[in-house]
Protein backbone atom coordinates (compact mmCIF):
# COMPACT_ATOMS: atom_id res chain seq x y z
CA UNK A 1 0.00 0.00 0.00
CA UNK A 2 1.02 3.64 -0.50
CA UNK A 3 1.51 6.22 2.23
CA UNK A 4 -1.04 8.41 0.50
CA UNK A 5 -3.71 5.80 1.21
CA UNK A 6 -3.19 6.21 4.95
CA UNK A 7 -4.23 9.87 4.79
CA UNK A 8 -7.36 8.92 2.87
CA UNK A 9 -8.54 6.71 5.76
CA UNK A 10 -10.36 8.97 8.22
CA UNK A 11 -10.56 6.30 10.93
CA UNK A 12 -6.79 6.36 11.32
CA UNK A 13 -6.76 9.98 12.45
CA UNK A 14 -3.41 10.74 10.78
CA UNK A 15 -2.24 14.30 10.14
CA UNK A 16 0.66 14.95 7.76
CA UNK A 17 3.39 17.12 9.29
CA UNK A 18 5.94 16.84 6.51
CA UNK A 19 7.03 14.87 3.46
CA UNK A 20 4.14 15.55 1.06
CA UNK A 21 6.38 14.84 -1.93
CA UNK A 22 7.19 11.34 -0.60
CA UNK A 23 3.64 10.01 -0.20
CA UNK A 24 3.96 7.56 -3.09
CA UNK A 25 6.32 5.40 -1.03
CA UNK A 26 5.19 1.81 -0.48
CA UNK A 27 4.52 0.47 3.01
CA UNK A 28 5.50 -3.18 3.47
CA UNK A 29 4.91 -3.48 7.21
CA UNK A 30 4.46 -1.68 10.50
CA UNK A 31 6.46 -1.52 13.72
CA UNK A 32 5.73 0.06 17.11
CA UNK A 33 8.78 1.08 19.13
CA UNK A 34 10.09 3.45 21.76
CA UNK A 35 13.63 2.12 21.63
CA UNK A 36 16.33 4.73 21.16
CA UNK A 37 17.88 2.58 18.43
CA UNK A 38 15.39 0.16 16.79
CA UNK A 39 17.57 -0.44 13.70
CA UNK A 40 18.17 -4.13 14.36
CA UNK A 41 14.42 -4.80 14.10
CA UNK A 42 13.92 -2.92 10.83
CA UNK A 43 14.20 -4.45 7.38
CA UNK A 44 13.00 -1.46 5.31
CA UNK A 45 9.65 -0.24 4.08
CA UNK A 46 8.01 -0.04 7.53
CA UNK A 47 5.68 2.58 8.92
CA UNK A 48 7.23 3.20 12.36
CA UNK A 49 4.83 4.12 15.18
CA UNK A 50 6.29 5.72 18.32
CA UNK A 51 5.03 7.27 21.55
CA UNK A 52 8.25 9.36 21.79
CA UNK A 53 9.38 7.80 25.09
CA UNK A 54 12.91 7.69 23.61
CA UNK A 55 13.09 11.50 23.42
CA UNK A 56 14.78 13.22 26.35
CA UNK A 57 15.90 16.40 24.62
CA UNK A 58 15.88 18.00 21.15
CA UNK A 59 19.14 16.37 20.07
CA UNK A 60 17.56 12.90 20.32
CA UNK A 61 15.23 13.62 17.39
CA UNK A 62 18.06 14.05 14.86
CA UNK A 63 19.71 10.81 15.96
CA UNK A 64 16.46 8.81 15.93
CA UNK A 65 15.42 10.03 12.47
CA UNK A 66 18.88 9.35 11.04
CA UNK A 67 18.66 5.74 12.27
CA UNK A 68 15.24 5.28 10.64
CA UNK A 69 16.38 6.73 7.33
CA UNK A 70 19.47 4.52 7.25
CA UNK A 71 17.23 1.49 7.85
CA UNK A 72 15.04 2.49 4.88
CA UNK A 73 11.72 2.97 6.66
CA UNK A 74 8.83 4.40 4.68
CA UNK A 75 7.56 6.93 7.24
CA UNK A 76 7.31 7.85 10.91
CA UNK A 77 4.05 8.33 12.86
CA UNK A 78 4.27 9.97 16.30
CA UNK A 79 1.51 9.66 18.89
CA UNK A 80 0.08 12.72 20.61
CA UNK A 81 -1.35 10.81 23.60
CA UNK A 82 1.63 11.35 25.95
CA UNK A 83 3.32 14.64 24.99
CA UNK A 84 0.57 16.44 23.12
CA UNK A 85 1.80 18.12 19.94
CA UNK A 86 4.70 16.48 18.13
CA UNK A 87 7.91 18.40 19.07
CA UNK A 88 9.20 20.89 16.48
CA UNK A 89 12.69 19.39 16.58
CA UNK A 90 11.28 16.09 15.33
CA UNK A 91 9.43 17.86 12.51
CA UNK A 92 12.65 19.65 11.49
CA UNK A 93 14.71 16.45 11.61
CA UNK A 94 12.24 14.57 9.41
CA UNK A 95 12.15 17.42 6.91
CA UNK A 96 15.96 17.51 6.78
CA UNK A 97 16.12 13.77 5.98
CA UNK A 98 13.02 13.76 3.71
CA UNK A 99 11.23 11.28 5.99
CA UNK A 100 7.42 11.61 5.87
CA UNK A 101 6.04 12.40 9.33
CA UNK A 102 2.49 11.84 10.57
CA UNK A 103 0.86 12.82 13.85
CA UNK A 104 -1.46 10.20 15.36
CA UNK A 105 -4.39 11.77 17.20
CA UNK A 106 -4.58 10.90 20.90
CA UNK A 107 -7.95 9.20 20.40
CA UNK A 108 -6.51 6.67 17.95
CA UNK A 109 -4.70 3.59 19.28
CA UNK A 110 -1.55 2.40 17.55
CA UNK A 111 -3.33 -0.96 17.33
CA UNK A 112 -5.85 0.59 14.93
CA UNK A 113 -3.11 1.81 12.57
CA UNK A 114 -1.22 -1.48 12.83
CA UNK A 115 -4.25 -3.58 12.03
CA UNK A 116 -5.19 -1.38 9.07
CA UNK A 117 -1.72 -1.77 7.55
CA UNK A 118 -1.65 -5.52 8.21
CA UNK A 119 -5.05 -5.90 6.61
CA UNK A 120 -4.09 -3.91 3.53
CA UNK A 121 -0.69 -5.54 3.03
CA UNK A 122 -1.79 -9.14 3.47
CA UNK A 123 -5.43 -8.89 2.44
CA UNK A 124 -4.83 -10.06 -1.12
CA UNK A 125 -3.08 -13.19 0.11
CA UNK A 126 -5.61 -14.15 2.76
CA UNK A 127 -9.18 -13.01 2.35
CA UNK A 128 -10.28 -14.46 5.66
CA UNK A 129 -7.57 -12.46 7.49
CA UNK A 130 -9.30 -9.25 6.44
CA UNK A 131 -12.51 -10.39 8.10
CA UNK A 132 -10.75 -11.35 11.31
CA UNK A 133 -8.73 -8.14 11.48
CA UNK A 134 -11.70 -5.96 10.66
CA UNK A 135 -13.81 -7.50 13.40
CA UNK A 136 -10.95 -7.20 15.85
CA UNK A 137 -10.37 -3.57 14.85
CA UNK A 138 -13.96 -2.73 15.75
CA UNK A 139 -13.55 -4.39 19.12
CA UNK A 140 -10.22 -2.70 19.75
CA UNK A 141 -11.62 0.77 19.04
CA UNK A 142 -14.65 0.20 21.27
CA UNK A 143 -12.60 0.52 24.48
CA UNK A 144 -9.28 1.85 25.76
CA UNK A 145 -7.75 -1.59 26.37
CA UNK A 146 -8.88 -3.06 23.09
CA UNK A 147 -10.12 -6.30 24.57
CA UNK A 148 -6.68 -7.90 24.82
CA UNK A 149 -5.30 -10.99 23.09
CA UNK A 150 -8.16 -13.19 24.27
CA UNK A 151 -10.43 -11.32 21.85
CA UNK A 152 -8.23 -12.43 18.95
CA UNK A 153 -8.41 -16.02 20.19
CA UNK A 154 -12.19 -15.85 20.34
CA UNK A 155 -12.23 -14.65 16.73
CA UNK A 156 -9.99 -17.52 15.66
CA UNK A 157 -12.45 -19.92 17.22
CA UNK A 158 -15.60 -18.38 15.85
CA UNK A 159 -14.36 -17.47 12.35
CA UNK A 160 -11.85 -20.21 11.63
CA UNK A 161 -12.76 -22.97 14.09
CA UNK A 162 -9.24 -22.92 15.57
CA UNK A 163 -8.46 -23.44 19.24
CA UNK A 164 -5.51 -21.35 20.32
CA UNK A 165 -3.74 -20.06 23.44
CA UNK A 166 -1.11 -17.38 24.09
CA UNK A 167 1.76 -18.45 26.36
CA UNK A 168 4.71 -16.65 27.91
CA UNK A 169 8.23 -17.97 27.16
CA UNK A 170 8.19 -19.70 30.55
CA UNK A 171 4.90 -21.47 29.78
CA UNK A 172 2.56 -19.24 31.79
CA UNK A 173 -0.91 -18.87 30.29
CA UNK A 174 -1.28 -15.30 29.01
CA UNK A 175 -4.62 -15.63 27.20
CA UNK A 176 -7.20 -18.28 26.39
CA UNK A 177 -10.47 -17.98 24.46
CA UNK A 178 -13.47 -17.39 26.68
CA UNK A 179 -15.56 -19.55 24.34
CA UNK A 180 -16.53 -19.73 20.71
CA UNK A 181 -19.63 -20.10 18.63
CA UNK A 182 -17.87 -22.54 16.31
CA UNK A 183 -18.85 -26.13 15.79
CA UNK A 184 -16.24 -27.39 18.21
CA UNK A 185 -17.45 -25.31 21.13
CA UNK A 186 -15.42 -23.68 23.87
CA UNK A 187 -11.69 -24.39 24.04
CA UNK A 188 -10.66 -26.39 27.10
CA UNK A 189 -8.02 -24.92 29.35
CA UNK A 190 -4.46 -26.12 28.96
CA UNK A 191 -3.07 -27.36 32.25
CA UNK A 192 0.21 -26.01 33.63
CA UNK A 193 2.18 -29.10 32.61
CA UNK A 194 1.01 -28.89 28.98
CA UNK A 195 1.81 -25.16 28.85
CA UNK A 196 5.32 -25.77 30.19
CA UNK A 197 5.95 -28.57 27.70
CA UNK A 198 4.77 -26.46 24.77
CA UNK A 199 6.98 -23.56 25.86
CA UNK A 200 9.96 -25.91 26.24
CA UNK A 201 9.42 -27.35 22.75
CA UNK A 202 9.13 -23.87 21.30
CA UNK A 203 12.33 -22.58 22.95
CA UNK A 204 14.26 -25.69 21.92
CA UNK A 205 13.10 -25.29 18.32
CA UNK A 206 14.01 -21.61 18.15
CA UNK A 207 17.37 -22.20 19.83
CA UNK A 208 18.35 -24.78 17.21
CA UNK A 209 17.36 -22.47 14.36
CA UNK A 210 14.34 -24.41 13.12
CA UNK A 211 11.87 -22.36 11.10
CA UNK A 212 8.35 -21.95 12.47
CA UNK A 213 5.65 -22.78 12.89
CA UNK A 214 6.89 -25.61 15.08
CA UNK A 215 4.86 -28.84 15.14
CA UNK A 216 4.49 -30.53 18.56
CA UNK A 217 2.46 -33.61 19.56
CA UNK A 218 1.34 -33.82 23.19
CA UNK A 219 -0.84 -36.70 24.33
CA UNK A 220 -1.81 -37.49 20.73
CA UNK A 221 -2.87 -33.86 20.11
CA UNK A 222 -0.97 -31.84 17.50
CA UNK A 223 -0.13 -28.19 18.12
CA UNK A 224 1.52 -25.61 15.88
CA UNK A 225 3.58 -22.97 17.67
CA UNK A 226 3.97 -19.44 16.27
CA UNK A 227 6.28 -16.84 17.89
CA UNK A 228 4.62 -13.55 18.84
CA UNK A 229 7.40 -11.13 18.07
CA UNK A 230 7.30 -7.71 19.69
CA UNK A 231 9.56 -4.77 19.04
CA UNK A 232 12.46 -6.62 20.69
CA UNK A 233 14.17 -6.48 24.04
CA UNK A 234 17.53 -8.10 23.64
CA UNK A 235 21.13 -7.16 23.16
CA UNK A 236 22.44 -10.05 21.07
CA UNK A 237 23.58 -9.71 17.50
CA UNK A 238 20.92 -9.29 14.78
CA UNK A 239 19.71 -12.65 13.55
CA UNK A 240 20.67 -14.39 16.79
CA UNK A 241 17.65 -16.38 18.07
CA UNK A 242 18.68 -15.47 21.62
CA UNK A 243 17.60 -11.95 20.74
CA UNK A 244 13.93 -12.69 21.36
CA UNK A 245 13.35 -16.33 22.24
CA UNK A 246 13.50 -15.82 26.01
CA UNK A 247 11.10 -12.88 25.93
CA UNK A 248 8.66 -13.53 23.08
CA UNK A 249 5.18 -14.82 23.73
CA UNK A 250 4.01 -17.72 21.56
CA UNK A 251 0.70 -18.65 19.97
CA UNK A 252 -0.16 -22.35 20.36
CA UNK A 253 -2.79 -23.50 17.84
CA UNK A 254 -4.42 -26.91 18.11
CA UNK A 255 -3.84 -27.91 14.49
CA UNK A 256 -1.15 -29.21 12.17
CA UNK A 257 0.04 -26.15 10.23
CA UNK A 258 2.05 -28.42 7.96
CA UNK A 259 -1.19 -29.20 6.12
CA UNK A 260 -2.14 -25.55 5.62
CA UNK A 261 -2.13 -23.56 2.42
CA UNK A 262 0.10 -20.50 2.20
CA UNK A 263 -2.90 -18.22 2.67
CA UNK A 264 -3.76 -19.80 6.02
CA UNK A 265 -0.17 -19.45 7.24
CA UNK A 266 -0.21 -15.77 6.24
CA UNK A 267 -3.41 -15.38 8.23
CA UNK A 268 -1.87 -16.76 11.43
CA UNK A 269 1.23 -14.62 10.98
CA UNK A 270 -1.06 -11.62 10.76
CA UNK A 271 -2.84 -12.69 13.94
CA UNK A 272 0.47 -12.87 15.83
CA UNK A 273 1.06 -9.26 14.81
CA UNK A 274 -2.24 -8.29 16.38
CA UNK A 275 -1.26 -10.03 19.63
CA UNK A 276 2.18 -8.38 19.46
CA UNK A 277 0.45 -5.00 19.57
CA UNK A 278 -0.92 -5.88 22.99
CA UNK A 279 2.49 -7.14 24.12
CA UNK A 280 4.19 -3.92 23.05
CA UNK A 281 1.52 -1.85 24.78
CA UNK A 282 2.10 -3.76 28.02
CA UNK A 283 5.86 -3.30 27.72
CA UNK A 284 5.47 0.42 27.17
CA UNK A 285 3.36 0.65 30.33
CA UNK A 286 6.27 -0.76 32.35
CA UNK A 287 8.51 2.20 31.54
CA UNK A 288 7.65 4.19 34.67
CA UNK A 289 8.12 1.20 36.99
CA UNK A 290 11.47 0.35 35.44
CA UNK A 291 12.65 3.94 35.78
CA UNK A 292 11.69 4.04 39.45
CA UNK A 293 13.56 0.80 40.08
CA UNK A 294 16.59 2.14 38.19
CA UNK A 295 16.66 5.31 40.28
CA UNK A 296 16.44 3.38 43.57
CA UNK A 297 19.14 0.97 42.39
CA UNK A 298 21.52 3.79 41.45
CA UNK A 299 20.98 5.48 44.81
CA UNK A 300 21.71 2.25 46.68
CA UNK A 301 24.81 1.50 44.62
CA UNK A 302 26.31 4.95 45.05
CA UNK A 303 25.86 4.92 48.82
CA UNK A 304 23.22 7.64 48.95
CA UNK A 305 21.85 8.67 52.32
CA UNK A 306 19.10 6.39 53.64
CA UNK A 307 16.74 9.36 53.81
CA UNK A 308 17.19 9.97 50.08
CA UNK A 309 16.56 6.29 49.27
CA UNK A 310 13.54 6.26 51.59
CA UNK A 311 12.08 9.26 49.80
CA UNK A 312 12.45 7.50 46.44
CA UNK A 313 10.85 4.35 47.86
CA UNK A 314 7.88 6.38 49.04
CA UNK A 315 7.42 7.54 45.45
CA UNK A 316 7.75 4.00 44.11
CA UNK A 317 5.42 2.29 46.59
CA UNK A 318 2.09 3.74 45.28
CA UNK A 319 3.05 2.80 41.72
CA UNK A 320 4.11 -0.74 42.55
CA UNK A 321 1.54 -1.47 45.26
CA UNK A 322 -1.51 0.79 44.70
CA UNK A 323 -3.61 1.43 47.76
CA UNK A 324 -0.85 0.67 50.26
CA UNK A 325 -0.84 3.24 53.03
CA UNK A 326 2.75 2.83 54.20
CA UNK A 327 6.02 1.83 52.60
CA UNK A 328 6.23 -1.96 52.34
CA UNK A 329 9.08 -4.28 53.07
CA UNK A 330 11.34 -4.85 50.07
CA UNK A 331 13.24 -7.77 48.64
CA UNK A 332 15.98 -7.75 46.00
CA UNK A 333 16.36 -10.40 43.30
CA UNK A 334 19.40 -10.42 40.99
CA UNK A 335 19.66 -12.43 37.74
CA UNK A 336 22.19 -12.92 34.96
CA UNK A 337 22.30 -14.90 31.73
CA UNK A 338 25.74 -16.16 30.73
CA UNK A 339 26.15 -17.42 27.17
CA UNK A 340 28.64 -20.08 26.16
CA UNK A 341 30.52 -17.60 23.97
CA UNK A 342 31.44 -15.60 27.08
CA UNK A 343 28.86 -12.86 26.80
CA UNK A 344 26.85 -11.92 29.87
CA UNK A 345 23.40 -10.39 29.73
CA UNK A 346 21.83 -8.43 32.53
CA UNK A 347 20.08 -6.01 30.20
CA UNK A 348 16.75 -6.07 28.39
CA UNK A 349 16.59 -9.86 27.81
CA UNK A 350 17.25 -10.78 31.45
CA UNK A 351 15.23 -7.79 32.60
CA UNK A 352 12.09 -8.95 30.75
CA UNK A 353 12.68 -12.58 31.70
CA UNK A 354 13.04 -11.74 35.39
CA UNK A 355 9.78 -9.80 35.29
CA UNK A 356 8.09 -12.95 33.99
CA UNK A 357 9.82 -15.32 36.45
CA UNK A 358 8.69 -13.29 39.46
CA UNK A 359 5.02 -13.65 38.52
CA UNK A 360 3.07 -16.32 40.37
CA UNK A 361 3.06 -19.23 37.87
CA UNK A 362 -0.61 -19.85 38.65
CA UNK A 363 -1.54 -16.31 37.58
CA UNK A 364 -3.01 -15.88 34.11
CA UNK A 365 -3.06 -12.92 31.76
CA UNK A 366 -0.46 -10.21 31.11
CA UNK A 367 -1.38 -8.01 34.08
CA UNK A 368 0.30 -9.82 37.04
CA UNK A 369 3.76 -8.71 35.92
CA UNK A 370 2.67 -5.08 35.82
CA UNK A 371 3.72 -4.45 39.45
CA UNK A 372 7.23 -5.84 39.28
CA UNK A 373 10.01 -3.30 38.82
CA UNK A 374 13.23 -4.59 37.26
CA UNK A 375 16.26 -2.42 36.58
CA UNK A 376 19.62 -3.43 35.16
CA UNK A 377 23.20 -2.56 35.93
CA UNK A 378 26.28 -3.85 34.16
CA UNK A 379 25.69 -7.51 33.48
CA UNK A 380 22.90 -8.11 36.02
CA UNK A 381 19.16 -7.48 36.10
CA UNK A 382 17.92 -6.35 39.51
CA UNK A 383 14.31 -6.62 40.70
CA UNK A 384 12.99 -4.42 43.47
CA UNK A 385 10.15 -6.53 44.83
CA UNK A 386 7.61 -4.88 47.17
CA UNK A 387 6.21 -7.01 49.99
CA UNK A 388 2.96 -5.36 51.15
CA UNK A 389 2.89 -7.29 54.43
CA UNK A 390 5.08 -9.60 56.45
CA UNK A 391 2.80 -11.92 58.35
CA UNK A 392 5.29 -14.10 60.18
CA UNK A 393 8.75 -12.80 60.88
CA UNK A 394 9.60 -16.00 62.77
CA UNK A 395 9.00 -18.15 59.71
CA UNK A 396 12.28 -20.00 59.17
CA UNK A 397 12.15 -19.35 55.43
CA UNK A 398 11.50 -15.68 56.05
CA UNK A 399 8.97 -13.44 54.27
CA UNK A 400 9.01 -12.83 50.56
CA UNK A 401 9.90 -14.92 47.54
CA UNK A 402 11.72 -18.18 48.44
CA UNK A 403 14.69 -18.88 46.17
CA UNK A 404 14.19 -22.65 46.16
CA UNK A 405 10.67 -22.34 44.71
CA UNK A 406 11.31 -19.35 42.43
CA UNK A 407 12.42 -21.33 39.38
CA UNK A 408 10.47 -24.52 39.99
CA UNK A 409 7.69 -23.79 37.48
CA UNK A 410 9.98 -22.36 34.79
CA UNK A 411 13.00 -24.65 35.03
CA UNK A 412 11.83 -27.02 32.26
CA UNK A 413 11.13 -24.43 29.54
CA UNK A 414 14.19 -22.31 30.31
CA UNK A 415 16.49 -25.32 30.44
CA UNK A 416 15.27 -26.30 26.98
CA UNK A 417 15.90 -22.78 25.72
CA UNK A 418 19.39 -22.51 27.23
CA UNK A 419 20.58 -26.10 26.74
CA UNK A 420 24.08 -26.15 25.32
CA UNK A 421 24.06 -22.38 24.90
CA UNK A 422 23.78 -20.50 28.19
CA UNK A 423 22.91 -20.38 31.89
CA UNK A 424 20.50 -18.39 34.05
CA UNK A 425 21.51 -17.77 37.67
CA UNK A 426 19.39 -15.97 40.25
CA UNK A 427 20.10 -14.70 43.77
CA UNK A 428 17.47 -13.67 46.33
CA UNK A 429 17.97 -11.44 49.38
CA UNK A 430 16.12 -11.46 52.65
CA UNK A 431 13.33 -8.94 53.16
CA UNK A 432 14.49 -5.56 54.44
CA UNK A 433 12.44 -3.25 56.58
CA UNK A 434 13.92 0.13 55.68
CA UNK A 435 15.93 2.04 53.12
CA UNK A 436 19.03 1.54 55.27
CA UNK A 437 18.99 -2.17 54.53
CA UNK A 438 18.50 -1.91 50.78
CA UNK A 439 22.17 -1.67 49.84
CA UNK A 440 22.94 -4.67 52.02
CA UNK A 441 20.08 -6.60 50.43
CA UNK A 442 21.46 -5.82 46.98
CA UNK A 443 24.90 -7.16 47.89
CA UNK A 444 23.34 -10.16 49.59
CA UNK A 445 21.34 -11.03 46.47
CA UNK A 446 24.43 -10.61 44.31
CA UNK A 447 26.45 -12.97 46.45
CA UNK A 448 23.59 -15.47 46.49
CA UNK A 449 23.63 -15.37 42.69
CA UNK A 450 27.36 -16.15 42.74
CA UNK A 451 26.59 -19.13 44.97
CA UNK A 452 24.00 -20.27 42.41
CA UNK A 453 26.53 -19.83 39.60
CA UNK A 454 28.87 -22.30 41.31
CA UNK A 455 26.26 -25.05 40.97
CA UNK A 456 25.70 -27.35 38.00
CA UNK A 457 22.68 -26.88 35.77
CA UNK A 458 21.34 -24.43 33.22
CA UNK A 459 18.90 -22.70 35.61
CA UNK A 460 19.99 -22.19 39.24
CA UNK A 461 18.95 -20.00 42.18
CA UNK A 462 20.21 -19.42 45.72
CA UNK A 463 18.73 -17.48 48.63
CA UNK A 464 19.98 -15.55 51.61
CA UNK A 465 19.43 -18.56 53.89
CA UNK A 466 22.32 -20.27 52.12
CA UNK A 467 24.74 -17.52 53.12
CA UNK A 468 25.26 -19.19 56.49
CA UNK A 469 27.56 -17.59 59.04
CA UNK A 470 30.28 -20.18 58.55
CA UNK A 471 30.44 -19.21 54.86
CA UNK A 472 31.31 -15.67 55.93
CA UNK A 473 34.45 -16.97 57.57
CA UNK A 474 35.83 -18.18 54.25
CA UNK A 475 38.46 -15.83 52.84
CA UNK A 476 36.97 -15.60 49.33
CA UNK A 477 33.79 -13.91 50.54
CA UNK A 478 33.95 -10.18 49.72
CA UNK A 479 33.82 -7.51 52.41
CA UNK A 480 30.58 -6.10 51.04
CA UNK A 481 28.86 -9.44 51.67
CA UNK A 482 30.12 -9.45 55.26
CA UNK A 483 28.75 -5.93 55.65
CA UNK A 484 25.43 -7.02 54.15
CA UNK A 485 25.19 -9.89 56.64
CA UNK A 486 25.96 -7.58 59.53
CA UNK A 487 23.53 -4.91 58.39
CA UNK A 488 20.68 -7.39 57.94
CA UNK A 489 21.02 -8.58 61.55
CA UNK A 490 21.93 -5.38 63.36
CA UNK A 491 20.38 -2.49 61.38
CA UNK A 492 16.84 -3.13 62.73
CA UNK A 493 18.23 -3.00 66.28
CA UNK A 494 20.28 0.13 65.65
CA UNK A 495 17.28 1.89 64.14
CA UNK A 496 15.10 0.92 67.10
CA UNK A 497 17.76 2.14 69.56
CA UNK A 498 17.95 5.52 67.79
CA UNK A 499 14.18 5.97 67.97
CA UNK A 500 13.56 4.65 71.48
CA UNK A 501 16.95 4.71 73.26
CA UNK A 502 16.26 1.09 74.15
CA UNK A 503 19.93 -0.05 74.27
CA UNK A 504 19.17 -3.29 72.44
CA UNK A 505 22.69 -3.56 70.98
CA UNK A 506 24.44 -3.30 74.39
CA UNK A 507 21.90 -5.74 75.80
CA UNK A 508 22.62 -8.23 73.02
CA UNK A 509 26.39 -7.94 73.56
CA UNK A 510 26.03 -8.50 77.29
CA UNK A 511 23.63 -11.42 76.84
CA UNK A 512 26.09 -13.21 74.55
CA UNK A 513 29.06 -12.42 76.83
CA UNK A 514 27.14 -14.03 79.69
CA UNK A 515 26.53 -17.17 77.61
CA UNK A 516 22.79 -16.57 77.67
CA UNK A 517 22.53 -16.52 81.47
CA UNK A 518 19.55 -14.37 82.43
CA UNK A 519 20.70 -13.80 86.01
CA UNK A 520 24.31 -12.87 85.25
CA UNK A 521 23.29 -10.61 82.33
CA UNK A 522 20.63 -8.81 84.38
CA UNK A 523 23.17 -8.24 87.17
CA UNK A 524 25.77 -6.87 84.76
CA UNK A 525 23.29 -4.45 83.20
CA UNK A 526 21.66 -3.55 86.55
CA UNK A 527 18.26 -4.62 85.21
CA UNK A 528 15.38 -6.65 86.54
CA UNK A 529 15.24 -10.05 84.84
CA UNK A 530 11.79 -9.26 83.44
CA UNK A 531 13.16 -6.11 81.80
CA UNK A 532 15.98 -8.14 80.29
CA UNK A 533 13.48 -10.71 78.98
CA UNK A 534 11.46 -7.90 77.41
CA UNK A 535 14.54 -6.52 75.62
CA UNK A 536 15.64 -9.93 74.34
CA UNK A 537 12.10 -10.58 73.16
CA UNK A 538 12.17 -7.28 71.26
CA UNK A 539 15.53 -8.27 69.66
CA UNK A 540 14.04 -11.55 68.50
CA UNK A 541 10.91 -9.84 67.19
CA UNK A 542 12.86 -7.26 65.17
CA UNK A 543 15.29 -9.75 63.65
CA UNK A 544 13.17 -12.89 63.33
CA UNK A 545 15.87 -14.83 65.25
CA UNK A 546 15.70 -17.00 68.37
CA UNK A 547 18.42 -16.40 70.97
CA UNK A 548 17.81 -19.83 72.49
CA UNK A 549 19.21 -21.42 69.30
CA UNK A 550 22.96 -21.88 69.01
CA UNK A 551 22.99 -21.00 65.29
CA UNK A 552 21.33 -17.64 65.90
CA UNK A 553 23.61 -16.86 68.83
CA UNK A 554 26.62 -17.56 66.60
CA UNK A 555 25.27 -15.32 63.84
CA UNK A 556 24.78 -12.43 66.28
CA UNK A 557 28.25 -13.01 67.73
CA UNK A 558 29.85 -12.81 64.27
CA UNK A 559 27.77 -9.78 63.25
CA UNK A 560 28.82 -7.87 66.37
CA UNK A 561 32.49 -8.75 65.90
CA UNK A 562 32.44 -7.68 62.22
CA UNK A 563 30.49 -4.46 62.78
Amino acid sequence: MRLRALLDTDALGLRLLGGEDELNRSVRGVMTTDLRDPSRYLSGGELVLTGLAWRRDAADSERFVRILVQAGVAALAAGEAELGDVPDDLVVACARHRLPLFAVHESVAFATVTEHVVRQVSGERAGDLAAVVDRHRRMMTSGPAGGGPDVVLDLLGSDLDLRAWVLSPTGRLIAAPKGTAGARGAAPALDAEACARLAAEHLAAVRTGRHGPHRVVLDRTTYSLFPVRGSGHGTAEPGDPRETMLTDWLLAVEADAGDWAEERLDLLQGVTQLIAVERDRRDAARTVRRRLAQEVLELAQTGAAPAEIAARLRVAAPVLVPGLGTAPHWQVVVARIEWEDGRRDGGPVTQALLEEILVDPAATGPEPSDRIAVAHTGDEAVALLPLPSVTDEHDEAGPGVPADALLEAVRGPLTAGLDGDGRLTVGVSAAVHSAEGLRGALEEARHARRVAAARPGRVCAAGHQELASHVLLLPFVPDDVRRAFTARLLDPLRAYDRRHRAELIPTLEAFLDCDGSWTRCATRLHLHVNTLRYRVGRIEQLTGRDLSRLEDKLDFFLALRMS
Side-chain angles (χ1 to χ4, degrees), residues 364-393:
T364 60
E367 291 84 0
S369 61
D370 285 353
R371 297 206 172 98
I372 296 170
V374 180
H376 62 86
T377 173
D379 53 9
E380 291 176 328
V382 181
L384 184 65
L385 195 63
L387 305 175
S389 63
V390 179
T391 57
D392 187 2
E393 295 194 13

Side-chain angles (χ1 to χ4, degrees), residues 447 451 464-478 481-482 485 554-555 558 562:
H447 185 60
V451 171
H464 64 94
Q465 299 92 339
E466 298 175 66
L467 305 182
S469 55
H470 67 275
V471 174
L472 299 173
L473 298 175
L474 299 177
F476 72 83
V477 178
V481 177
R482 299 171 191 258
F485 175 80
L554 181 58
D555 282 354
L558 289 170
M562 291 188 295

Side-chain angles (χ1 to χ4, degrees), residues 459-500:
V459 181
C460 299
H464 64 94
Q465 299 92 339
E466 298 175 66
L467 305 182
S469 55
H470 67 275
V471 174
L472 299 173
L473 298 175
L474 299 177
F476 72 83
V477 178
D479 290 341
D480 55 6
V481 177
R482 299 171 191 258
R483 287 193 295 270
F485 175 80
T486 301
R488 180 160 59 87
L489 277 180
L490 301 185
D491 279 2
L493 305 183
R494 290 167 176 156
Y496 192 87
D497 281 349
R498 283 196 299 270
R499 292 195 301 269
H500 303 285

Side-chain angles (χ1 to χ4, degrees), residues 54-64 87-90 93 96:
W54 48 265
R55 183 185 178 276
R56 297 176 183 174
D57 55 45
D60 288 339
S61 293
E62 172 67 20
R63 178 178 180 273
F64 186 77
D88 290 340
D89 49 88
L90 182 59
R96 182 182 299 116

Side-chain angles (χ1 to χ4, degrees), residues 199-327:
E201 293 283 352
H202 174 72
L203 288 177
V206 175
R207 176 180 55 78
T208 55
R210 286 156 48 194
H211 294 291
H214 308 119
R215 181 179 180 274
V216 178
V217 179
L218 295 184
D219 300 325
R220 294 183 292 184
T221 300
T222 301
Y223 298 89
S224 295
L225 309 179
F226 296 80
V228 177
R229 303 200 182 282
S231 58
H233 312 276
T235 57
E237 294 299 323
D240 192 329
R242 297 177 304 192
E243 177 66 41
T244 58
M245 70 177 185
L246 294 177
T247 56
D248 279 341
W249 289 351
L250 66 128
L251 177 68
V253 181
E254 188 183 313
D256 188 349
D259 299 333
W260 288 358
E262 193 69 26
E263 291 78 7
R264 179 60 62 95
L265 288 173
D266 286 343
L267 183 151
L268 264 294
Q269 295 295 348
V271 168
T272 63
Q273 291 186 38
L274 302 183
I275 299 172
V277 171
E278 177 71 10
R279 171 65 191 269
D280 288 342
R281 189 180 70 83
R282 298 279 176 181
D283 285 347
R286 295 180 182 180
T287 302
V288 172
R289 289 185 293 279
R290 287 175 171 174
R291 285 179 181 171
L292 286 173
Q294 196 73 38
E295 291 173 2
V296 173
L297 173 63
E298 290 172 359
L299 289 174
Q301 287 192 134
T302 57
E308 187 177 359
I309 300 176
R312 180 54 55 189
L313 286 175
R314 283 194 294 272
V315 173
V319 177
L320 298 174
V321 192
L324 192 65
T326 58

Side-chain angles (χ1 to χ4, degrees), residues 149-168:
D150 53 338
V151 175
V152 182
L153 302 186
D154 284 336
L155 290 174
L156 284 176
S158 61
D159 286 26
L160 305 175
D161 199 22
L162 289 175
R163 291 173 174 168
W165 300 263
V166 179
L167 307 179
S168 78

